[in-house]
Amino acid sequence: MDHASPMTRWLKGLALTLVVIFFMFPILWIVLMSFQTNETILRMPPSVVFTPTLENYQALITGKLVSSAGVLEIQFMRNLMNSVILSVCSVALSLLLGVPAAYAFARHKFRGSEDIAFTLLSFRFAPPLLVLLPLALYFQDLGLANTYIGLIWVYQLICLPLILWIVRGYFEDISPDVEHAYRLAGHSWFSTFRRIALPLAGPGIAAAGLLAFIFAWNNFVFALVLASADKQPVTVGALAFVTASGIQYGQIAAGIVLSIAPTLALALYAQRYLVEGLSLGAVKG
Amino acid sequence: MSAPALELDRVSKIYGAKAARPVRAVDAVSMSVAKGEIVALLGSSGCGKTSTLRMVAGFETVSEGAVRIAGREVNRVAPAKRNVAMAFEGYSLYPPLTVRENIAFALKSARLPREEVARRVAEIAHLLEIEPILDRYPASISGGQQQRASLGRALIREADLHLLDEPMGQLEPALRALLRGRIKHFVKERGLTAVLVTHDQTEANALADRIAVMEGGVLQQFASPAELKDRPANLFTGTFIGEPPMNVFQAQARAEGDALRLGLGEGVALDYPAAGFEPAVRETILKRGRVTLGVRPHAVRLDPAGAPAEVAANQWLGDQSHIAASFAGGTLVTVEHDRARLRPGDRIGVRFEPADLHVFDGETGAALSHGGRAA
Ligand SMILES: Nc1ncnc2c1ncn2[C@@H]1O[C@H](COP(=O)(O)OP(=O)(O)OP(=O)(O)O)[C@@H](O)[C@H]1O
Ligand SMILES: [Mg+2]
């Protein structure tokens, strides 16, 4: 890498720039849109020169959508809060269940353990709609429809397999003899798990948790089918912007900015873990 | 009489017992290690040495039989409660801790006073020549250094039993030889009991009071180094122990008057007068008919009047000559301590004294006689 010619370096730089522009441009455009009114957004020809306005954000935060047809109540902040509650709780539950399970699958091979682990992974491949409709009926009967608990339960379909498989790879990477040595020094199986295995797999667990958080945050269909307005996350709540009087582009943009902000911040903060966690998961899984 | 430090009672390890093809890695091994004794498990790769140690330490379940440590059956006792220390075959240092902390770990867990811990770490580090790396992290030291660090971590403890799985496999011969002596002294001085796994006969001979030779999961013989060499229990131990390996020939025994005639291939026959063998042994050999003869290379005598052989190669190793000769349809190796002036193609005569002759059953390989006396 170090001895690459200036030409290759330049080309590489160019390629990277193109990729970054390709992926970042929509985000940039949306950020710009969020500071404009519907009129400036829709003018022809489009232009990047405009007087920024905080109107859109104001409308979202106060929950009053002012349009030509009148004032519409929306619950964007409530949706955002729901997203936070659902994602955080689902990931927390998944970590609680998935990390010990991953350890068990990594360390104790028993008959059928591979099959069970694979079955859990296969939840990720199944088309969600296939399970959702029957699930919706059951949830109605059980009284779980439109509850946080019910949604968090269903979100385990997203988070648990992810955490299980990524973290398992990390545990498998730790030499069992490290743990054995610790146990011989007079420690129980559980304290070995807590004091040796968990800290060594720490980065992997963090990466898996973050990924699971992002997936949970971005989920749409589960909440669409199983939750009504007061439990809906932003992904579903954003539908409210499509109103009878037209589409409120500025407000949608502001909504998008607000809703991707947490995941974006998390992803940037934990970039290194994410890449490690993802590539390891890919190799191991 | 106090109970042996370790007792294996017909212990077996079967991997994948319910799978299509179970592996019997250890097969009904029985042995007993006295307190203060050093025992070496010697055998080729995959013969079940590590599996045996792991059952003793408690990381593998015992499929059959019983493991007793200091008289207590431990089949179902957690590793933490067995009071056993182990140096692992792979490296097993805890990465976030320095070498010093790794070695001191068990003592700290046992809440020993700080000065005592420091003193013992220093002693061990000196013993194993790892003082310069005490404050480094496992990831930044060499394989041999990691191995010594994990050996140190095992030796520093005062356990009922020390299990050392190839503790010096990664070291160069000179350092190995040095550490062998030191470790033996250390273990003996403290009256520790150690079971050591090794591939290296020299190491087993130098360190161990008794050696357990294993093959295919089966304990072949458990005896002192001298006994293994002089009185191998079967053909496997006979050929496995000793460097260069024992010469082996198929022979047909029959009586020639009073003498015992052992017919080898290509018309070569060795005649031994009745005095060379105990009458009962002679009887047994004659009854078997087909036997296998074993002669250690050091015991082959060059004698122009002996049976004819033709030199195939002559290697001077700096302190001894290894001469390979074709003899009775096979190859015979002999060791001479002077630089023998023999070239390929030279004709020589060889002779085996009855006292040097090992006779094994031609079918089962069980030893029949050593030096003319019953095995
Ligand atoms: N977990 C396992 N599952 C199945 N088979 C195993 C397992 N561990 C070991 N074996 C098999 O059991 C046999 C004995 O293995 P073991 O590790 O005890 O050999 P070893 O004598 O220590 O060899 P080496 O000198 O190479 O370390 C081998 O054939 C091995 O393939
Ligand atoms: Mg081994």
Side-chain angles (χ1 to χ4, degrees):
Chain A
M1 286 289 176
D2 291 334
H3 341 281
S5 71
M7 183 63 180
T8 14
R9 238 182 299 160
W10 190 83
L11 280 176
K12 214 184 271 171
L14 182 74
L16 277 176
T17 315
L18 284 176
V19 170
V20 169
I21 290 177
F22 182 79
F23 284 107
M24 293 309 284
F25 182 75
I27 295 183
L28 178 75
W29 193 248
I30 283 187
V31 171
L32 289 180
M33 269 167 73
S34 73
F35 292 105
Q36 301 177 46
T37 58
N38 237 14
E39 293 75 59
T40 46
I41 293 169
L42 295 174
R43 78 193 146 172
M44 267 318 214
S47 153
V48 286
V49 189
F50 60 91
T51 11
T53 165
L54 286 176
E55 221 173 75
N56 298 321
Y57 288 98
Q58 204 181 347
L60 288 179
I61 290 165
T62 56
K64 296 208 180 353
L65 215 86
V66 188
S67 68
S68 49
V71 177
L72 186 73
E73 295 273 335
I74 57 155
Q75 299 186 309
F76 186 78
M77 292 320 279
R78 173 155 201 154
N79 290 337
L80 204 60
M81 199 58 218
N82 285 340
S83 273
V84 172
I85 292 174
L86 289 174
S87 307
V88 169
C89 293
S90 317
V91 171
L93 181 64
S94 280
L95 285 173
L96 209 66
L97 297 173
V99 171
Y103 184 72
F105 283 126
R107 282 287 179 265
H108 304 281
K109 306 278 179 225
F110 50 91
R111 218 140 72 100
S113 65
E114 214 50 46
D115 300 329
I116 297 175
F118 193 77
T119 307
L120 283 168
L121 181 68
S122 70
F123 292 158
R124 294 287 295 142
F125 326 141
L129 283 173
L130 202 71
V131 282
L132 256 180
L133 297 177
L135 211 59
L137 295 178
Y138 283 129
F139 268 36
Q140 234 119 49
D141 286 348
L142 292 170
L144 283 171
N146 200 29
T147 60
Y148 285 130
I149 293 181
L151 280 173
I152 289 168
W153 191 344
V154 176
Y155 271 41
Q156 296 310 308
L157 281 179
I158 311 168
C159 301
L160 198 56
L162 206 65
I163 285 177
L164 192 77
W165 276 77
I166 295 179
V167 174
R168 174 185 163 170
Y170 273 81
F171 280 135
E172 277 172 351
D173 266 9
I174 305 171
S175 155
D177 285 344
V178 173
E179 292 173 25
H180 290 157
Y182 187 78
R183 290 180 69 182
L184 280 184
H187 298 271
S188 68
W189 168 87
F190 184 72
S191 93
T192 309
F193 169 64
R194 209 165 50 89
R195 305 276 299 280
I196 303 290
L198 275 188
L200 287 181
I205 296 173
L210 282 166
L211 271 179
F213 182 86
I214 292 171
F215 276 90
W217 186 278
N218 289 344
N219 182 265
F220 176 72
V221 271
F222 288 148
L224 178 71
V225 176
L226 294 174
S228 62
D230 63 328
K231 299 285 173 356
Q232 273 168 355
V234 271
T235 40
V236 182
L239 288 178
F241 294 114
V242 184
T243 63
S245 60
I247 297 170
Q248 306 301 314
Y249 287 106
Q251 280 146 1
I252 291 183
I256 290 174
V257 170
L258 284 183
S259 61
I260 63 172
T263 44
L264 198 66
L266 261 179
L268 286 178
Y269 168 73
Q271 240 181 38
R272 202 171 52 84
Y273 290 145
L274 271 180
V275 172
E276 248 178 50
L278 273 175
S279 45
L280 198 97
V283 172
K284 292 270 158 185
Chain B
M1 199 200 105
S2 71
L6 170 67
E7 205 179 353
L8 302 183
D9 187 0
R10 298 193 61 78
V11 167
S12 300
K13 177 72 213 176
I14 303 161
Y15 289 109
K18 297 192 188 95
R21 304 188 64 228
V23 180
R24 213 169 234 282
V26 177
D27 194 358
V29 166
S30 297
M31 61 193 254
S32 147
V33 179
K35 196 166 167 354
E37 198 177 19
I38 304 180
V39 163
L41 293 184
L42 185 64
S44 45
S45 185
C47 71
K49 306 180 294 290
T50 299
S51 302
T52 308
L53 280 201
R54 295 174 82 83
M55 283 191 285
V56 174
F59 304 130
E60 291 292 354
T61 52
V62 178
S63 308
E64 290 165 7
V67 175
R68 284 187 276 273
I69 296 174
R72 174 173 69 131
E73 182 179 319
V74 292
N75 281 24
R76 311 211 141 265
V77 175
K81 303 239 164 67
R82 296 189 181 197
N83 197 19
V84 163
M86 181 160 178
F88 293 88
E89 189 174 3
Y91 313 116
S92 53
L93 299 172
Y94 186 48
L97 298 185
T98 62
V99 170
R100 182 194 304 281
E101 290 163 334
N102 263 292
I103 294 178
F105 196 87
L107 299 189
K108 282 196 186 140
S109 300
R111 299 198 204 293
L112 257 66
R114 185 189 296 250
E115 308 80 60
E116 160 102 14
V117 173
R119 188 184 59 72
R120 281 168 65 176
V121 171
E123 182 188 29
I124 286 284
H126 181 71
L127 182 91
L128 299 174
E129 308 261 325
I130 46 174
E131 285 146 319
I133 54 157
L134 275 181
D135 292 307
R136 306 255 295 270
Y137 286 91
S140 74
I141 60 178
S142 76
Q145 289 167 336
Q146 292 192 35
Q147 196 161 41
R148 278 177 284 159
S150 67
L151 176 58
R153 183 176 60 182
L155 285 181
I156 203 169
R157 289 185 50 200
E158 282 161 342
D160 285 341
L161 192 60
H162 285 74
L163 306 174
L164 312 176
D165 198 350
E166 297 186 34
M168 291 183 276
Q170 296 275 323
L171 307 182
E172 77 272 14
L175 186 57
R176 257 196 225 204
L178 174 74
L179 292 190
R180 268 204 303 262
R182 288 192 188 171
I183 291 170
K184 177 151 190 174
H185 183 246
F186 181 91
V187 170
K188 285 293 174 191
E189 197 177 54
R190 281 163 183 71
L192 307 178
T193 310
V195 179
L196 155 100
V197 165
T198 176
H199 289 283
D200 181 353
Q201 293 185 28
T202 323
E203 191 169 300
N205 284 325
L207 271 168
D209 300 312
R210 283 193 292 166
I211 300 175
V213 178
M214 288 182 71
E215 175 63 12
V218 178
L219 181 63
Q220 304 289 329
Q221 189 169 6
F222 182 36
S224 70
E227 174 145 8
L228 279 182
K229 191 140 192 287
D230 297 339
R231 308 178 56 79
N234 55 32
L235 191 58
F236 176 82
T237 326
T239 50
F240 188 74
I241 300 285
E243 198 26 59
M246 180 187 268
N247 295 300
V248 176
F249 303 97
Q250 302 299 329
Q252 188 68 45
R254 65 192 162 83
E256 190 70 21
D258 250 2
L260 175 67
R261 167 165 292 187
L262 297 170
L264 309 181
E266 301 200 329
V268 178
L270 307 172
D271 283 330
Y272 290 98
F277 288 85
E278 281 175 356
V281 168
R282 184 169 177 270
E283 198 76 355
T284 323
I285 295 177
L286 284 174
K287 206 153 73 196
R288 290 302 143 96
R290 285 208 65 76
V291 293
T292 305
L293 283 192
V295 186
R296 298 215 177 268
H298 289 88
V300 175
R301 315 280 162 96
L302 294 186
D303 176 356
E310 186 183 319
V311 176
N314 180 1
Q315 278 184 303
W316 174 244
L317 300 184
D319 58 348
Q320 49 183 254
S321 295
H322 284 192
I323 301 157
S326 29
F327 171 72
T331 303
L332 174 84
V333 174
T334 146
V335 173
E336 295 295 315
H337 286 279
D338 312 320
R339 191 159 186 168
R341 308 217 163 276
L342 291 170
R343 302 182 169 285
D346 285 358
R347 304 205 156 266
I348 52 174
V350 294
R351 184 164 57 81
F352 316 136
E353 291 291 315
D356 296 326
L357 219 51
H358 303 273
V359 184
F360 303 95
D361 188 310
E363 262 148 42
T364 64
L368 299 176
S369 78
H370 303 291
R373 278 196 291 274

